[in-house]
Amino acid sequence: CLSDWSSDVCSSDLMTIDTSQNVGIGTTSPAQKLHVNSSGAAIVSVQSTQVAGNTNVETRYTSTSRTWGVGQNIIQSTAVFEIADITANATRLAIDSSGKVGIGTTSPPQLLSIHGSSNPAVNVRNTGTSVDSNFYSTTSGGYLGTSSTHPFVFTTNDTERMRINAGAPILCLSG
């Protein structure tokens, strides 16, 4: 163990490496490869002070078939926060310095931007009723609707104004 060696007596453990090669900081019984324990906030900080060249800061997660990275400058050379599929050399999600989120893009033009070459879509599903609402784009146009037999309803101020039923005419409500 690494200890406070201010005296000849080991007064407190600062870091422990056990027989399983688990490292404990703030604990003498680490349960994982790295176990940080604190009576206050347990913040782990990773920082690069390099100002030019490869300034990436990342955490990697590797299994037998894939490596993922979470951090900055993993795949991209710009200052975006990334979740990257390192195996495929592709950024899957990016957040730029203004807070814009990109899926399939590292330069999102809007607060949330989803880009893709194979019908990119947003799907919202109520798992209790299996109602699917979708917004997606194809090579022939943009689509908004449901992919189930449930109606598509337009509301304003939490009041239904128009309803499109599956296989039925449009119902417009006055209000």
Side-chain angles (χ1 to χ4, degrees), residues 54 56-58 60 67-69 71-78 80-93 106:
N54 185 359
N56 65 320
V57 176
E58 68 180 279
R60 288 195 177 195
T67 298
W68 291 88
Q72 182 178 328
N73 296 352
I74 301 169
I75 304 293
Q76 303 303 313
S77 59
T78 57
V80 296
F81 177 82
E82 301 176 69
I83 296 178
D85 181 346
I86 295 170
T87 305
N89 196 36
T91 299
R92 300 301 185 196
L93 183 136
T106 57

Side-chain angles (χ1 to χ4, degrees), residues 132-174:
D132 281 317
S133 299
N134 300 298
F135 174 69
Y136 62 99
S137 297
T138 68
T139 56
S140 60
Y143 296 83
L144 178 66
T146 65
S147 57
S148 58
T149 59
H150 299 86
F152 190 75
V153 180
F154 293 87
T155 65
T156 60
N157 198 25
D158 280 338
T159 303
E160 183 175 327
R161 302 297 182 190
M162 183 171 75
R163 172 182 294 258
I164 303 173
N165 291 314
I170 296 174
L171 174 63
C172 294
L173 304 170
S174 63

Side-chain angles (χ1 to χ4, degrees), residues 3-160:
S3 301
D4 179 359
W5 291 99
S6 58
S7 66
D8 290 338
V9 178
C10 183
S11 60
S12 65
D13 290 333
L14 300 177
M15 182 173 80
T16 300
I17 303 173
D18 69 11
T19 57
S20 299
Q21 297 181 342
N22 291 339
V23 176
I25 299 173
T27 180
T28 57
S29 303
Q32 288 83 31
K33 287 297 178 188
L34 176 60
H35 184 160
V36 178
N37 186 41
S38 174
S39 60
I43 299 171
V44 176
S45 180
V46 179
Q47 179 179 356
S48 172
T49 57
Q50 185 172 334
V51 293
N54 185 359
T55 60
N56 65 320
V57 176
E58 68 180 279
T59 302
R60 288 195 177 195
Y61 303 89
T62 303
S63 67
T64 56
S65 62
R66 202 145 214 86
T67 298
W68 291 88
V70 176
Q72 182 178 328
N73 296 352
I74 301 169
I75 304 293
Q76 303 303 313
S77 59
T78 57
V80 296
F81 177 82
E82 301 176 69
I83 296 178
D85 181 346
I86 295 170
T87 305
N89 196 36
T91 299
R92 300 301 185 196
L93 183 136
I95 303 173
D96 72 11
S97 60
S98 66
K100 293 178 181 173
V101 177
I103 299 172
T105 179
T106 57
S107 301
Q110 302 298 328
L111 191 56
L112 174 62
S113 299
I114 300 171
H115 296 195
S117 60
S118 179
N119 301 341
V122 174
N123 174 269
V124 178
R125 171 177 274 198
N126 180 324
T127 57
T129 61
S130 297
V131 175
D132 281 317
S133 299
N134 300 298
F135 174 69
Y136 62 99
S137 297
T138 68
T139 56
S140 60
Y143 296 83
L144 178 66
T146 65
S147 57
S148 58
T149 59
H150 299 86
F152 190 75
V153 180
F154 293 87
T155 65
T156 60
N157 198 25
D158 280 338
T159 303
E160 183 175 327

